[in-house]
Amino acid sequence: MRIVIHGLGRLGLAIAELATEQKLDVVAGIDIKKKDAKNFEVFENFENCPKADVIVDSSHADAIPQLLENAQGLNIPLVICTTGLSQDTLAQIQKTAETLPIFLSSNMSLGVNLVSKLAQTATKALDGANFDIEIIEAHHNQKLDAPSGTGLLLAQSINAAADGKYKFVFDRSHALQKRCPDEIGISAIRGGTIVGEHTIIFAGPDEVIEITHKAASREIFARGALKAAQFIAEKKPGLYTMDDLLN
């Protein structure tokens, strides 16, 4: 399988390193800054890029619309790891997936996606038992989007299990009032070199249940991204997620 890595930030470089260890063929990198890479050439765009079987993206939300056009024009399946996507970009992804296989996930970790399923189970089990739900996510001080894509993924997963009854609250400083029972609070922490930590709190009468995932390195996301690349490379057009990969 021939891979192009789009975006050579921390995760992109981790994906490239792990791909080399797994003896996968990274034929090129795409990065506007043309960062140096050990085992492959880096291009500013796709104009002179070698042919590939799949593109793995870990760039920036602003780069996704052009990436979708390029991938569609070249007819190359696409894995999108980038978070912080706007509704317009998500709509463009849905449209492009009508003619191109696209794998989209806010978090490529198999563990995080297991946590998502556990949170859904807990939500259904605790329904009607007066449990409040809060999500706390922590990342390094260079992360641009807040809350994290994973924090939103977990909140959306919980809400789906609750038939959409919850609203998301990101800041309570603007209103002097009690917490509403139909909300999920999402708090973001940014500091140091934290790779990624997510805790879901189910706080009920006289007891608290917590589900936590902590990432020790970016390799877990790189490993998931490469599994997604191998999964999507020969799929028919459509939008695929971790649920498709794990089921």
Side-chain angles (χ1 to χ4, degrees), residues 21-38:
E21 291 177 9
Q22 294 183 359
K23 312 239 181 267
L24 298 173
D25 189 8
V26 179
V27 297
I30 304 292
D31 194 285
I32 58 173
K33 297 181 180 179
K34 288 198 69 175
K35 296 180 180 179
D36 293 333
K38 294 180 181 178

Side-chain angles (χ1 to χ4, degrees), residues 11-71:
L11 178 55
L13 291 173
I15 293 170
E17 183 175 349
L18 185 61
T20 300
E21 291 177 9
Q22 294 183 359
K23 312 239 181 267
L24 298 173
D25 189 8
V26 179
V27 297
I30 304 292
D31 194 285
I32 58 173
K33 297 181 180 179
K34 288 198 69 175
K35 296 180 180 179
D36 293 333
K38 294 180 181 178
N39 302 312
F40 53 88
E41 190 171 357
V42 179
F43 302 86
E44 290 185 14
N45 53 55
F46 284 90
E47 185 174 347
N48 297 311
C49 182
K51 292 182 179 180
D53 300 307
V54 64
I55 300 168
V56 179
D57 164 75
S58 61
S59 57
H60 187 281
D62 292 343
I64 301 304
Q66 183 60 55
L67 171 62
L68 290 167
E69 292 184 16
N70 290 329

Side-chain angles (χ1 to χ4, degrees), residues 17-231:
E17 183 175 349
L18 185 61
T20 300
E21 291 177 9
Q22 294 183 359
K23 312 239 181 267
L24 298 173
D25 189 8
V26 179
V27 297
I30 304 292
D31 194 285
I32 58 173
K33 297 181 180 179
K34 288 198 69 175
K35 296 180 180 179
D36 293 333
K38 294 180 181 178
N39 302 312
F40 53 88
E41 190 171 357
V42 179
F43 302 86
E44 290 185 14
N45 53 55
F46 284 90
E47 185 174 347
N48 297 311
C49 182
K51 292 182 179 180
D53 300 307
V54 64
I55 300 168
V56 179
D57 164 75
S58 61
S59 57
H60 187 281
D62 292 343
I64 301 304
Q66 183 60 55
L67 171 62
L68 290 167
E69 292 184 16
N70 290 329
Q72 189 172 41
L74 296 168
N75 194 31
I76 303 176
L78 177 61
V79 175
I80 300 176
C81 306
T82 297
T83 61
L85 305 177
S86 68
Q87 290 302 312
D88 287 344
T89 299
L90 290 171
Q92 186 181 353
I93 290 172
Q94 288 275 5
K95 182 66 176 176
T96 306
E98 294 176 6
T99 57
L100 188 75
I102 298 178
F103 190 103
L104 175 66
S105 178
S106 299
N107 192 299
M108 291 290 170
S109 159
L110 301 180
V112 163
N113 285 275
L114 174 60
V115 165
S116 176
K117 292 182 181 297
L118 292 174
Q120 286 190 321
T121 300
T123 299
K124 293 175 181 178
L126 299 173
D127 186 42
N130 298 319
F131 275 76
D132 298 319
I133 304 175
E134 296 281 316
I135 296 173
I136 301 173
E137 56 94 350
H139 287 85
H140 54 87
N141 58 21
Q142 300 301 302
K143 186 169 179 61
L144 299 178
D145 55 316
S148 67
T150 303
L152 290 173
L153 178 150
L154 295 173
Q156 290 162 355
S157 180
I158 291 168
N159 207 20
D163 297 323
K165 74 176 184 180
Y166 291 110
K167 62 182 180 181
F168 303 158
V169 175
F170 306 106
D171 179 15
R172 294 194 176 94
S173 65
H174 62 283
L176 187 63
Q177 63 184 34
K178 293 181 180 179
R179 186 191 195 283
C180 296
D182 63 344
E183 70 184 45
I184 298 176
I186 307 177
S187 303
I189 296 170
R190 297 290 176 267
T193 58
I194 301 171
V195 175
E197 299 181 3
H198 296 84
T199 297
I200 307 167
I201 300 172
F202 295 88
D206 303 317
E207 58 182 334
V208 175
I209 301 166
E210 295 185 0
I211 304 174
T212 297
H213 179 274
K214 296 183 179 182
S217 76
R218 288 175 181 79
E219 185 173 321
I220 63 171
F221 310 122
R223 190 179 302 117
L226 291 175
K227 283 184 179 292
Q230 292 168 315
F231 171 85

